[in-house]
Amino acid sequence: MSEQDWVPTGIDVSRPHPARVYDYHIGGKTNYPVDRELAEKFIAVAPQTTVTALDNRAFLARAVRYAAEQGIDQFLDIGTGIPAPGNTHEIAQEVVPSARVAYVDNDPIVLAHARALMPATDKGRTGFTLGDVREPDKVLAAPEVRELIDFDRPVCVLLLGILHYVADDRDPAGIVARLLDAVPSGSLLILSHTTSDFLPPISADSVLAVNDEAEFMLPRPHAQILPFLAGVELLEPGLVQAPLWHPDEDADLSPERLAQSWIYCAVGRKP
Ligand SMILES: C[S@@+](CC[C@H](N)C(=O)[O-])C[C@H]1O[C@@H](n2cnc3c(N)ncnc32)[C@H](O)[C@@H]1O
């Protein structure tokens, strides 16, 4: 094992973990052989997986900047991921230096690296708590969350690349509804979710087979993701592929490029 493969106490490196596989795709160093092996299996059958992860990360930056520009200064980021350039607090605090971010993830590897999410600056505060989105009441009650977020003022709730780990029998729509219940009118929801809508017919079976083998994520079609946004008014342009959500001026939006982006994104406002 290389130095890069140092394993913090309590971290299971016998099975791939979503946060670490994603970290590998976006060019991070916090991943282990088992994670890289799975990521490479995905890449072998579908190189689009890496493009999709990078598109998601770029959407995160555009959407958080948008929220901060609307004056939102508190963010509840559930499914934080391993710290990487362009963390939510970095983007938000560029616009609103006093912005606060409560990070929540259920993977102890994220906890092990959470110090990188808590910069020692005089900017706004951040905090991290281990929590599971499938238990929204516990997330909302967590002291670290309560300390940072004032639920009487608009909050931006982030669910980026996380609901595809929540099976239908855990009621993902109900989870989103519960989280939105806790925040006032004017709050924003930023959501992204992988999809199999763009899998070419030949690779579809092989991609889904690798996925099943790892009991990994559950890509959903557009029609099954849209109901997760039932509690918000969708902002333009709606639930669209990541590159299409308020693209940068020089973005490549050709059909060939869009066929590579297997993730839907949206921002909505609680009425
Ligand atoms: C694909 S990464 C996304 C990271 C980041 N939100 C982004 O968009 O760049 C998904 C994250 O969700 C976390 N996650 C998966 N299931 C979760 C659950 N049930 N509760 C909390 N976090 C979860 C994983 O540990 C991982 O860090």
Side-chain angles (χ1 to χ4, degrees):
M1 240 182 216
S2 66
E3 193 182 324
Q4 162 183 341
D5 289 332
W6 167 75
V7 183
T9 315
I11 300 301
D12 178 4
V13 293
S14 67
R15 292 175 55 79
H17 273 211
R20 302 182 323 223
V21 174
Y22 179 74
D23 176 74
Y24 181 75
H25 281 296
I26 64 170
K29 295 205 171 356
T30 310
N31 45 74
Y32 300 93
V34 68
D35 308 306
R36 300 196 275 274
E37 195 183 310
L38 178 63
E40 287 297 343
K41 272 193 188 177
F42 272 120
I43 292 167
V45 291
Q48 296 90 337
T49 320
T50 297
V51 176
T52 297
L54 292 169
D55 280 354
N56 178 59
R57 198 71 188 170
F59 164 72
L60 181 152
R62 297 198 301 282
V64 169
R65 194 170 303 119
Y66 170 85
E69 284 168 358
Q70 302 306 300
I72 301 250
D73 65 355
Q74 22 178 23
F75 296 79
L76 176 57
D77 184 352
I78 311 178
T80 306
I82 291 164
N87 294 306
T88 299
H89 71 276
E90 291 160 343
I91 311 281
Q93 290 173 357
E94 260 172 37
V95 183
V96 182
S98 60
R100 293 175 166 214
V101 182
Y103 287 113
V104 181
D105 201 290
N106 70 344
D107 193 327
I109 191 82
V110 182
L111 174 65
H113 292 271
R115 209 169 305 139
L117 297 169
M118 292 164 211
T121 67
D122 54 3
K123 288 190 173 176
R125 290 171 50 212
T126 64
F128 178 83
T129 187
L130 266 185
D132 195 314
V133 74
R134 292 167 297 187
E135 298 176 327
D137 288 324
K138 279 195 189 163
V139 167
L140 292 165
E144 297 86 348
V145 171
R146 289 274 148 197
E147 200 194 314
L148 285 167
I149 306 285
D150 172 359
F151 284 93
D152 292 328
R153 294 196 302 112
V155 180
C156 179
V157 178
L158 287 89
L159 293 172
L160 280 135
I162 182 172
L163 289 183
H164 48 227
Y165 300 112
V166 180
D168 290 343
D169 62 4
R170 299 301 297 260
D171 188 16
I175 289 171
V176 182
R178 176 66 197 104
L179 292 169
L180 287 174
D181 266 356
V183 296
S185 164
S187 293
L188 294 180
L189 171 66
I190 302 180
L191 180 140
S192 69
H193 194 302
T194 54
T195 184
S196 49
D197 281 357
F198 306 100
L199 297 187
I202 297 167
S203 78
D205 286 347
S206 41
V207 174
L208 296 173
V210 174
N211 198 37
D212 284 350
E213 187 191 327
E215 295 177 71
F216 220 54
M217 54 186 166
L218 185 71
R220 292 185 169 96
H222 191 275
Q224 285 179 19
I225 302 171
L226 204 51
F228 300 161
L229 294 151
V232 290
E233 291 167 354
L234 276 187
L235 304 184
E236 285 299 318
L239 178 65
V240 293
Q241 283 173 278
L244 292 174
W245 197 91
H246 295 271
D248 292 331
E249 251 171 41
D250 56 353
D252 177 0
L253 302 178
S254 63
E256 298 73 29
R257 177 62 182 77
L258 288 177
Q260 313 265 314
S261 193
W262 295 350
I263 190 151
Y264 285 120
C265 299
V267 179
R269 180 178 288 111
K270 181 170 172 177

